[in-house]
């Protein structure tokens, strides 16, 4: 990408999109295009086609998505599948029709099978069944990355995909029931501390293993790949390190300053037992995550305290 290339970041108000915009600006890119949902409804094919025909962006970062945690995913399966498939297909197709030089599609590690080998290599995609609690979202993301691959194969485009592990950081979503685990814990422990609650109850038994990537590290990788990687296979984005949800809860509680007791509601689902990404491909390409988890959580909590709380559905 040239510093004055026209770059469209879809989903710039979200955690990932806003981090990509920050990274592009940090690196001196000057022609960044954004649209709010009110300005451009990505689920409307006509609106997306009109936008691309008028703007003709050279590069596209597709970070827009309808996202949520276990409860949101499992209670709105049809909505998650329809909205995500429509918006990503509309953007990718319009980019191709309007001569976009390169597109980068942001997915999620939930695309990989529930019982995938650990750590999960990019090659394990579609080798066995998905985790049922987020199957609809995963199928939509798989469709997006496969559409990029098929356009490359049929029409010679240069469209790539990146699959991040669990993300957190500035501009996260802290909705009490529709957020992911780490921001949900930050909010829960903060409110419990403020209210002087003696006990915080968390879902499951705390045993699942999870990996967490600070979103600004992901943004650095996204810009790096846009400039240096081409290929049909996706690229995993993670740290290569994991901890249990129980350990995560204790770390968040400590960071927030909550001194009460943590209990576990084993009637609630755990989700996938383990989700560690094999990040050797990104490492070979020349990228490694740089933000330690404890430092990242401190920065995320600082952002939570200093900015209006985002609580989206």
């Amino acid at each position: 990408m040239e510093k004055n290339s026209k770059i469209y970041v879809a989903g710039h108000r979200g955690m990932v999109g806003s981090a990509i915009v920050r990274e592009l600006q940090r690196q001196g890119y000057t022609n960044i295009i954004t649209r709010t949902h009110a300005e451009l409804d990505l689920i409307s094919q006509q609106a997306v086609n009109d936008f691309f025909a008028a703007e003709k962006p050279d590069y596209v970062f597709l970070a827009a998505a309808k996202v949520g945690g276990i409860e949101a995913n499992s209670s709105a399966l049809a909505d998650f599948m329809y909205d995500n498939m429509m918006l990503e297909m509309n953007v990718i197709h319009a980019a191709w029709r309007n001569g976009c030089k390169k597109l980068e599609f942001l997915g999620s590690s939930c695309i990989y099978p529930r019982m995938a080998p650990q750590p999960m290599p990019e090659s394990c995609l579609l080798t066995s069944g998905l985790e049922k609690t987020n199957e609809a979202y995963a199928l939509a993301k798989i469709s997006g990355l496969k559409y990029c691959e098929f356009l490359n194969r049929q029409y010679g485009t240069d469209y790539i995909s990146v699959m991040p592990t669990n993300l957190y950081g500035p501009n996260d979503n802290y909705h009490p029931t529709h957020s992911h685990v780490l921001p949900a814990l930050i909010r829960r422990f903060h409110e419990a501390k403020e209210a002087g609650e003696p006990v915080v109850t968390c879902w499951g038994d705390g045993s699942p293993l999870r990996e967490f990537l600070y979103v600004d590290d992901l943004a650095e990788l996204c810009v790096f790949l846009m400039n240096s990687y081409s290929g049909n296979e996706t690229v995993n984005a993670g740290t290569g390190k994991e901890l249990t949800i129980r350990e995560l809860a204790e770390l968040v509680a400590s960071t927030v300053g909550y001194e009460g007791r943590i209990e576990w509601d084993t009637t609630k689902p755990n989700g996938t037992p383990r989700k560690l990404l094999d990040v050797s491909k990104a490492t070979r390409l020349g990228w490694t995550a740089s933000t330690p988890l404890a430092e990242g959580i401190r920065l995320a909590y600082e952002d939570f305290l200093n900015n209006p709380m985002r609580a989206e559905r």
Side-chain angles (χ1 to χ4, degrees), residues 25-97:
Q25 291 171 337
R26 187 185 72 81
Q27 293 192 29
Y29 292 95
T30 58
N31 194 5
I32 303 167
I33 309 167
T34 60
R35 292 291 187 277
T36 64
H37 177 70
E39 293 168 333
L40 175 60
D41 180 3
L42 296 179
I43 296 173
S44 166
Q45 187 178 59
Q46 188 62 56
V48 174
N49 287 341
D50 291 347
F51 166 76
F52 272 85
E55 291 291 343
K56 302 281 187 183
D58 299 311
Y59 299 92
V60 173
F61 290 88
L62 179 41
K66 181 183 180 73
V67 298
I70 290 176
E71 182 175 335
N73 271 282
S74 56
S75 64
L77 295 166
D79 294 346
F80 271 83
M81 189 166 191
Y82 179 83
D83 288 357
N84 282 298
M85 288 193 74
M86 289 298 291
L87 74 85
E88 69 197 26
M89 291 296 172
N90 286 342
V91 171
I92 297 167
H93 187 71
W96 166 66
R97 285 184 59 187

Side-chain angles (χ1 to χ4, degrees), residues 67-266:
V67 298
I70 290 176
E71 182 175 335
N73 271 282
S74 56
S75 64
L77 295 166
D79 294 346
F80 271 83
M81 189 166 191
Y82 179 83
D83 288 357
N84 282 298
M85 288 193 74
M86 289 298 291
L87 74 85
E88 69 197 26
M89 291 296 172
N90 286 342
V91 171
I92 297 167
H93 187 71
W96 166 66
R97 285 184 59 187
N98 288 278
C100 174
K101 292 178 182 177
K102 191 165 185 175
L103 178 143
E104 185 175 291
F105 174 68
L106 273 293
S108 164
S109 60
C110 73
I111 64 166
Y112 294 123
R114 172 180 167 81
M115 301 307 292
Q118 300 291 327
M120 298 182 286
E122 289 87 352
S123 59
C124 75
L125 180 65
L126 295 175
T127 55
S128 62
L130 298 165
E131 161 64 34
K132 289 297 181 183
T133 55
N134 58 22
E135 184 180 28
Y137 184 72
L139 286 169
K141 287 297 184 182
I142 291 169
S143 298
L145 76 88
K146 281 295 181 181
Y147 188 45
C148 289
E149 175 189 337
F150 297 154
L151 284 171
N152 290 346
R153 290 182 171 184
Q154 186 173 349
Y155 294 106
T157 51
D158 187 10
Y159 291 179
I160 63 174
S161 61
V162 185
M163 295 300 128
T165 187
N166 298 287
L167 298 169
Y168 71 101
N171 213 22
D172 210 337
N173 173 22
Y174 296 95
H175 191 280
T177 57
H178 293 84
S179 57
H180 289 105
V181 60
L182 204 157
L185 288 173
I186 287 176
R187 178 170 180 166
R188 185 71 186 89
F189 283 117
H190 172 78
E191 291 181 344
K193 182 185 76 168
E194 294 292 293
E197 296 177 11
V199 178
V200 166
T201 302
C202 299
W203 276 29
D205 62 12
S207 67
L209 290 160
R210 289 292 182 270
E211 172 187 25
F212 295 91
L213 177 65
Y214 190 62
V215 72
D216 286 53
D217 287 353
L218 171 66
E220 181 186 54
L221 173 64
C222 288
V223 177
F224 171 75
L225 291 175
M226 189 68 102
N227 283 318
S228 64
Y229 175 74
S230 295
N232 291 328
E233 189 180 67
T234 190
V235 179
N236 285 342
T239 63
K241 301 173 183 177
E242 60 188 342
L243 78 168
T244 66
I245 294 296
R246 184 179 295 272
E247 291 169 328
L248 176 69
E250 292 168 354
L251 180 56
V252 172
S254 174
T255 303
V256 169
Y258 176 73
E259 298 178 349
R261 192 169 72 256
I262 302 173
E263 293 184 349
W264 297 88
D265 182 355
T266 56

